Amino acid sequence: MKLATQPTVKTLGDYAYQAIQKHFKKTLKWEKSVKKDEDPEALHQMRVGMRRLRTAVTRFDVAVDLPKPVSDRSIGKIARRLGSLRDLDVLKESLENNYKPNLPRKEQRALETAFSALAKQREDILSSVQKTLKDEPYKSLKEALEEWLEKPNYQPLASVTIQQVLPDLLLPEVSNFLLHPGWLIGTEFLESEVKVQKNWEREKIEHQLTTEGEVLHSLRKEAKRIRYQMELFTDLYGESYAAYLTEVKNIQEILGTMQDSAVLGEWLGDIFKAEIQTQLPTLANLLTENRYQSWQQWQPLQERYLKTETRHSLHLTILHPLSGVIS
């Protein structure tokens, strides 16, 4: 008879420990490079590591007993600092690669003003990030996590098998996602049925995004939250779950493209102290076209997730993790 060399049934506590350890390690891996400002990719990876660490800490709080410096609030504060710097890098990358090559020479020259302003803003935010990574809250967070990983403390619920509680962990997040008001933007009710309004002109879409853009941005954040949480458990589900996860990621990315385009337009308006239509007409039209195309990609997913069958099917998928032991 062959003896098992490791436990074959994983508990909620096992999953919590693995997730916290994995994302903490990833965060630390990129820290030195971020402090030295060596590579935009390092900043991106550290920010993602911090966000995922935050998800693990908040979602597993029912199972773990973490020290005081390790909290949703403290991690969120650091992640936001990294995020402010990363957003400027994305802005620069987008302007340089996606837009500048398609502009007439006159507008390309005008963009130099924007690049100078961006470099100045980045300098200020970089020094604030470097200070954050030297300050006491960050040091305390690291020390407390290292100690906890060395000698973890758990809540009683940590001992239950992961399959037993997995749907209860995921379903509240699914409900928040599906009940978000962002799904109803650009729809109408016909005999109590939600219908997506199609074939809108660019002007109407622009107006909708101007008035409701924040709501869609909030839905994008909800999509990111549920995506990070679902990614913690991909090995416990099958193909249907993987397909939903891919769609959630698509929703996040499409809404993100719309939001980034709007933010870029607003930022340029502030830099040039005018409507960018007058200073950079070609660029303004490209931004509008970009949002129009994203809206066309968004609507089929919106329509799909407003259907009762899709919503019920997602719930049923979550309710049925793979049975049997996990090695």
Side-chain angles (χ1 to χ4, degrees):
M1 187 176 128
K2 194 177 175 185
L3 291 172
T5 54
Q6 63 177 55
T8 50
V9 176
K10 283 189 178 173
T11 64
L12 177 59
D14 294 332
Y15 263 79
Y17 185 92
Q18 282 169 8
I20 291 168
Q21 181 188 50
K22 179 184 173 183
H23 299 309
F24 179 51
K25 268 187 177 174
K26 179 174 180 174
T27 301
L28 291 185
K29 179 184 172 184
W30 300 101
E31 183 193 312
K32 199 177 283 182
S33 187
V34 170
K35 279 180 177 171
K36 291 180 179 174
D37 195 29
E38 290 175 339
D39 178 12
E41 185 57 24
L43 173 65
H44 170 58
Q45 293 297 339
M46 188 174 181
R47 178 202 198 180
V48 169
M50 267 287 174
R51 282 177 160 178
R52 289 178 186 267
L53 176 63
R54 187 183 184 188
T55 297
V57 163
T58 52
R59 295 303 168 255
F60 288 117
D61 65 346
V62 293
V64 294
D65 183 9
L66 291 163
K68 203 175 175 186
V70 186
S71 68
D72 173 69
R73 192 163 169 266
S74 62
I75 300 170
K77 223 173 194 177
I78 297 158
R80 276 192 295 278
R81 281 278 158 85
L82 294 169
S84 300
L85 191 58
R86 174 62 186 162
D87 289 347
L88 287 182
D89 286 348
V90 169
L91 210 68
K92 185 184 177 192
E93 208 176 280
S94 182
L95 268 179
E96 275 183 340
N97 302 334
N98 303 339
Y99 295 105
K100 191 181 172 186
N102 301 309
L103 299 179
R105 192 149 300 201
K106 186 185 172 191
E107 288 190 38
Q108 286 190 2
R109 283 197 299 270
L111 267 191
E112 292 311 313
T113 308
F115 285 124
S116 301
L118 206 145
K120 176 74 183 79
Q121 281 183 18
R122 195 184 185 283
E123 220 173 89
D124 295 342
I125 295 175
L126 173 63
S127 68
S128 131
V129 164
Q130 288 167 332
K131 184 176 181 299
T132 298
L133 297 182
K134 286 177 190 162
D135 280 354
E136 199 47 52
Y138 181 67
K139 284 181 184 169
S140 300
L141 171 71
K142 281 203 308 185
E143 282 165 19
L145 268 172
E146 277 160 2
E147 282 170 22
W148 186 84
L149 288 167
E150 196 67 40
K151 197 178 174 185
N153 288 321
Y154 296 102
Q155 310 269 18
L157 202 60
S159 301
V160 301
T161 65
I162 188 68
Q163 282 94 342
Q164 195 177 337
V165 290
L166 191 44
D168 302 314
L169 279 177
L170 288 171
L171 284 172
E173 206 65 64
V174 170
S175 296
N176 288 339
F177 177 59
L178 294 177
L179 290 172
H180 196 282
W183 292 108
L184 297 179
I185 288 171
T187 66
E188 59 182 344
F189 282 88
L190 293 172
E191 295 171 3
S192 73
E193 206 178 318
V194 192
K195 294 281 182 194
V196 172
Q197 297 181 321
K198 295 180 181 169
N199 304 318
W200 277 6
E201 297 293 323
R202 281 164 176 71
E203 291 73 22
K204 194 161 185 183
I205 292 169
E206 282 296 295
H207 175 71
Q208 192 78 71
L209 290 175
T210 304
T211 54
E212 304 284 4
E214 279 305 310
V215 184
L216 279 174
H217 180 45
S218 169
L219 176 58
R220 172 212 189 171
K221 289 197 276 192
E222 203 63 65
K224 187 166 10 186
R225 268 194 285 272
I226 189 177
R227 173 194 161 190
Y228 284 174
Q229 191 171 358
M230 286 176 76
E231 282 176 346
L232 292 170
F233 306 110
T234 46
D235 60 331
L236 293 170
Y237 284 99
E239 285 175 19
S240 172
Y241 185 88
Y244 276 116
L245 184 50
T246 300
E247 283 186 339
V248 167
K249 191 178 176 184
N250 285 344
I251 289 164
Q252 180 203 326
E253 285 174 354
I254 291 164
L255 294 178
T257 301
M258 265 192 251
Q259 170 69 9
D260 292 348
S261 172
V263 166
L264 181 53
E266 282 170 25
W267 182 81
L268 287 167
D270 288 343
I271 296 299
F272 289 99
K273 306 279 185 275
E275 288 287 321
I276 63 162
Q277 195 69 49
T278 55
Q279 299 272 356
L280 302 155
T282 315
L283 178 53
N285 290 337
L286 284 172
L287 289 168
T288 302
E289 182 59 28
N290 177 306
R291 289 190 286 272
Y292 177 78
Q293 295 302 335
S294 295
W295 185 268
Q296 306 312 310
Q297 292 174 299
W298 154 244
Q299 282 200 309
L301 283 162
Q302 178 188 22
E303 199 164 34
R304 174 163 152 69
Y305 276 79
L306 284 170
K307 285 181 179 160
T308 308
E309 301 86 344
T310 307
R311 297 158 88 92
H312 285 183
S313 170
L314 174 54
H315 277 279
L316 284 171
T317 298
I318 300 289
L319 277 170
H320 295 105
L322 299 171
S323 54
V325 296
I326 304 296
S327 58

